[in-house]
Amino acid sequence: MSERKLRAWQAAGLIDADTASAIGAWEAAHSRPIGVWAIVGLGALTIGLGLVSIVAANWDAIPGTARLAIHFAIMAALAAWIGWRLLKGDLNPIVCDALLFVAAVLGLTFFGHLGQVYQTSSPLWQPLLAWLLLFSPLLLLFGRGWPVAGLWMAGLLGTLWAHADDHDRVWSLFGRVSPTHPSLYWGLIACPPILVAGAAALMRDRSDRPAFWRLIEQMAATTIFAGVSIVLLLRGWDSDSATLPGSAAIQSVALLCAAAATAYARRTASGRATAALLVVAAVLHLGQALLPGLSHYASAWIASLFFLALWGAVAAGAIHAHWRRIFQAAVALVALRIIILSFELNDDLLGSGVGLILSGLFAMAVAWATIRLSRRYAPARGEGA
């Protein structure tokens, strides 16, 4: 706590002199030597880089089986030590998360190391899936912070993407490739993040680590709304990229199930808002997939309206649940989409100065309206999603 801030609070009448002195004394007694820890961390990083350099310089001279044995021994020793300290219950949560992260990364690199030594040609999704199955219990049972949650979610999304890419199906969602069962394939492969969102909502109040499951739920929800938004945008920019109705129906059912789980598990303003937004996403996603082929002009208009409806609903839900930053982000996305739409609809005028002036004035008006809306309606700072 800086002395300047304490003096400012005292001058504003928020605290008296005795309280300011007590706060200053407490902060001084509990302050952390950040500079010393930074030097220690820099020294540890330097030692680690030196070890990596020594190993890299002699990499080819070390037999592959010996490298694998050393790698596995380090990974097993670290896992055993983490388990021993967890059973004792004296492991700091931050240290625990850091060790879990390192152990999981060692496990992930072990699969790559294995493939390098034995020159395997298995597709990427297979080692990722093996890592996910082996390390998910460890990460989900003992993780507490965002590094572990983010690593696990990245592993899940990476596995799904790699499987789709391996089968040349990455763009089949938009009608460019026809796999054997495209509706079933794309309907199911997009469901895991949706199901994770519902499962995390159920676990939040049933676990002694609600903050961890909250992070998982937030990451899954971010993935869901980013995915739906991308589909809406692509349909507007390319009228030939029609989403398969069958896959959209499967995904919408999954979204409705996640909404039901969230509404059941979290009977709060935040839970109700999240459940309602999942329902809105399901309806808009399925509704867009059922639309017939339209002209480019009509498709741009309708896709933009769907996008604005989605993020307008997010802004309304943010007001209800007091998600300040999410409200501001939703309003900004709505404003940005309106600005982009103004350029899309003025293609015939952009070659002239009049079109550029009109688009610029419209962009400035939308920016001004966005600032006014955020100042007037943005929720007070409160609990996040």
Side-chain angles (χ1 to χ4, degrees):
M1 182 73 66
S2 67
E3 292 291 336
R4 182 182 59 82
K5 186 171 291 186
L6 287 176
R7 287 196 298 269
W9 289 354
Q10 186 177 348
L14 299 176
I15 57 176
D16 55 25
D18 293 336
T19 305
S21 299
I23 293 175
W26 190 91
E27 289 289 341
H30 293 80
S31 62
R32 295 181 178 180
I34 299 177
V36 175
W37 281 110
I39 294 174
V40 173
L42 183 61
L45 177 62
T46 304
I47 294 172
L49 291 175
L51 291 173
V52 171
S53 298
I54 292 173
V55 173
N58 301 277
W59 187 258
D60 293 333
I62 305 173
T65 53
R67 296 200 308 263
L68 286 175
I70 294 171
H71 194 156
F72 184 81
I74 294 173
M75 187 170 59
L78 180 59
W81 190 82
I82 293 173
W84 173 62
R85 294 299 299 270
L86 286 173
L87 290 176
K88 290 183 65 176
D90 60 349
L91 192 59
N92 183 280
I94 298 177
V95 176
C96 177
D97 253 32
L99 293 175
L100 287 174
F101 185 88
V102 172
V105 172
L106 281 174
L108 185 61
T109 55
F110 181 79
F111 286 105
H113 194 179
L114 192 67
Q116 181 192 44
V117 170
Y118 291 104
Q119 299 296 317
T120 59
S121 58
S122 59
L124 178 60
W125 66 268
Q126 292 183 1
L128 286 176
L129 180 61
W131 175 85
L132 198 64
L133 294 175
L134 289 173
F135 282 88
S136 287
L138 181 67
L139 298 179
L140 296 180
L141 288 175
F142 301 107
R144 292 182 177 274
W146 64 265
V148 172
L151 180 64
W152 184 82
M153 184 59 68
L156 174 65
L157 298 178
T159 302
L160 298 175
W161 180 268
H163 188 277
D165 186 61
D166 181 63
H167 292 79
D168 294 328
R169 293 170 174 169
V170 172
W171 295 109
S172 66
L173 175 62
F174 309 113
R176 291 185 169 83
V177 180
S178 295
T180 306
H181 303 288
S183 296
L184 183 63
Y185 180 83
W186 277 107
L188 294 178
I189 203 165
C191 284
I194 302 172
L195 300 179
V196 166
L202 291 170
M203 289 297 298
R204 277 179 64 166
D205 295 331
R206 293 165 174 78
S207 170
D208 59 349
R209 297 167 296 119
F212 176 77
W213 290 106
R214 174 187 174 188
L215 286 170
I216 294 288
E217 183 186 2
Q218 288 175 339
M219 292 177 182
T222 301
T223 302
I224 291 169
F225 285 97
V228 174
S229 299
I230 290 172
V231 172
L232 294 175
L233 288 173
L234 289 178
R235 180 67 188 272
W237 291 336
D238 183 2
S239 57
D240 294 331
S241 58
T243 308
L244 297 170
S247 65
I250 295 173
Q251 295 158 15
S252 296
V253 170
L255 285 169
L256 293 176
C257 292
T262 303
Y264 171 77
R266 298 175 51 209
R267 301 180 184 182
T268 61
S270 177
R272 290 192 297 270
T274 303
L277 291 176
L278 289 173
V279 172
V280 171
V283 172
L284 292 177
H285 183 46
L286 182 59
Q288 187 210 42
L290 294 176
L291 288 176
L294 301 170
S295 65
H296 176 72
Y297 185 85
S299 180
W301 262 107
I302 294 176
S304 298
L305 291 177
F306 274 72
F307 185 92
L308 296 177
L310 176 65
W311 287 99
V314 171
I319 292 176
H320 178 73
H322 301 287
W323 302 332
R324 182 180 180 85
R325 292 182 180 178
I326 294 179
F327 173 83
Q328 292 172 337
V331 172
L333 284 174
V334 168
L336 182 63
R337 186 67 188 98
I338 293 174
I339 292 171
I340 293 174
L341 181 63
S342 71
F343 281 88
E344 291 174 347
L345 299 180
N346 282 319
D347 280 344
D348 56 335
L349 293 177
L350 282 178
S352 66
V354 175
L356 290 171
I357 291 172
L358 291 177
S359 296
L361 290 174
F362 183 74
M364 293 174 65
V366 170
W368 176 83
T370 300
I371 295 173
R372 297 286 295 178
L373 281 172
S374 296
R375 288 178 176 176
R376 182 170 182 178
Y377 296 108
R381 297 184 185 275
E383 181 182 335

